[in-house]
Amino acid sequence: MPLSVAQLDTENYPEVLSFLRRSPYRNAITLAQITHLRTHSFTLAAFSNDTVVGVVSIRRDLPLIRLAFTVDFPAALPPLLHALITGELELQRHTFGMIVPAASLPSLNRMVKVENAQLLCQMVAEPETFRPVDKVVAQRLPGDVAHDLTPLRAITAAWQAWHLAYGPAFGIRAENGQIMAAAATCFATRDVVEIGWAMQPAQLSALQDCISSLTGICFGLAPRVYLFAETTDDDIILCCRTLGFWAAERFVWVLARLCLS
C-alpha cells in the first residue's frame, strides 16, 4: 500500500484532527501536540489514498524530547519515523521519552532500543462519574509560585509533564508555607484535559483535595479529564477511584533511542 508523508499544515490539519478525535483518550497526547501544544511541537502525518492513517509528533519544550504517535496499522509507522529524523537528527543521537498505549508498543518493534519502561494506568473521569470532596481546602495557585513548587518537582515522576503555564493548578500549603500537594494542568484541549500531580510523603488526603478541585475546574474546559498513575501505586489509584475516576487503559512510559537503518 503506497504511503505519503506530509508535515502538518493548514490544509491537512482538519483531517488530522478528525483522525485523532476518533479516540480522544488513547490519542490525547498526540491530539494535544497538534492543538494546545502545537507551537512546541513538530508533527507529520501519513496518508494512504489521501486518507490519514498515522500521525507522529515530537514535543520540544521539555528537558527531554517527547515523541507521540498514532497509527491505524504498524506499516504506517516506519515511513513516519524515517521522515521525522530527516529534519530531527538529534532523535538518532539522544534518548527521548514517550507515553504510549501498552497495546501500541509492539508497533515500535526493532525501530527503537528501549532503555527503561514503566507501566502506567490512565485514570479517567467524566462529569457523570465525578465525586468531588465535600469540603474544599485547596487553593488555586498563581503563576508566580513556580519557585515554591521546586521541592515537589524534585520528587515528581519523570513521566509527569505539568506546568503552571499550561492551565489551572491547585495546591495546599503546610503551616510553614511549603506546598504539600499540588495538581496542575499538563494540557487542555476541547476534547480532553490531562492533569498532573505531586505530593510530599504522607499527604494523600491533601493531594485528593487538589485533584478534586482541579478536575471540577477542568470540566469547564473539556468533557473528559484523566491523569496517569503507576500501576503499582495502589494509594493513588484508590484516591482517584474515590473521586469517581476509573481505569481506562494501560500505558507505558518509555525512555528509548531510535535505531532506524
Side-chain angles (χ1 to χ4, degrees):
M1 180 184 300
L3 295 176
S4 61
V5 175
Q7 185 174 341
L8 183 71
D9 58 26
T10 55
E11 184 176 348
N12 60 38
Y13 180 81
E15 188 176 357
V16 172
L17 185 62
S18 178
F19 170 79
L20 294 174
R21 279 180 170 162
R22 296 183 311 183
S23 299
Y25 283 127
R26 171 174 280 204
N27 300 338
I29 294 174
T30 316
L31 187 60
Q33 289 183 196
I34 73 163
T35 54
H36 186 205
L37 303 170
R38 186 172 180 179
T39 57
H40 304 299
S41 306
F42 176 76
T43 303
L44 298 172
F47 297 82
S48 175
N49 296 323
D50 297 323
T51 299
V52 178
V53 294
V55 178
V56 66
S57 178
I58 62 167
R59 179 179 170 187
R60 303 189 184 96
D61 63 322
L62 300 171
L64 187 70
I65 289 177
R66 293 287 187 99
L67 187 148
F69 71 90
T70 301
V71 293
D72 272 350
F73 46 86
L77 189 55
L80 281 168
L81 292 179
H82 278 285
L84 182 63
I85 63 172
T86 299
E88 304 290 338
L89 295 178
E90 69 267 27
L91 278 175
Q92 280 198 311
R93 298 193 295 263
H94 301 293
T95 299
F96 61 89
M98 56 183 171
I99 296 178
V100 296
S104 299
L105 197 57
S107 301
L108 290 163
N109 190 30
R110 294 187 298 275
M111 288 185 288
V112 304
K113 179 183 178 182
V114 175
E115 298 183 349
N116 189 31
Q118 192 168 6
L119 199 58
L120 305 176
C121 187
Q122 186 185 46
M123 302 299 296
V124 169
E126 295 177 357
E128 301 79 20
T129 69
F130 180 49
R131 297 189 295 271
V133 298
D134 292 332
K135 296 182 179 180
V136 176
V137 179
Q139 295 184 336
R140 188 157 180 174
L141 297 175
D144 60 0
V145 301
H147 178 74
D148 294 349
L149 289 168
T150 300
L152 279 182
R153 286 198 170 279
I155 59 175
T156 300
W159 43 265
Q160 298 256 26
W162 51 267
H163 195 283
L164 294 178
Y166 298 150
F170 284 82
I172 294 179
R173 293 180 182 270
E175 291 184 1
N176 63 3
Q178 186 179 48
I179 297 178
M180 302 184 298
T185 306
C186 297
F187 59 75
T189 73
R190 55 180 271 190
D191 298 276
V192 63
V193 178
E194 180 186 327
I195 62 178
W197 54 272
M199 70 174 183
Q200 298 289 352
Q203 295 298 332
L204 189 63
S205 178
L207 177 64
Q208 186 177 56
D209 195 312
C210 294
I211 292 174
S212 176
S213 299
L214 179 57
T215 301
I217 290 290
C218 285
F219 283 136
L221 304 174
R224 308 172 185 89
V225 175
Y226 78 86
L227 59 80
F228 287 118
E230 296 174 26
T231 55
T232 56
D233 199 335
D234 295 335
D235 288 342
I236 297 297
I237 291 175
L238 179 59
C239 162
C240 292
R241 290 189 183 279
T242 302
L243 293 172
F245 286 71
W246 77 92
E249 186 171 4
R250 290 195 168 193
F251 280 67
V252 184
W253 162 243
V254 177
L255 294 178
R257 290 176 182 265
L258 287 177
C259 52
L260 300 172
S261 57

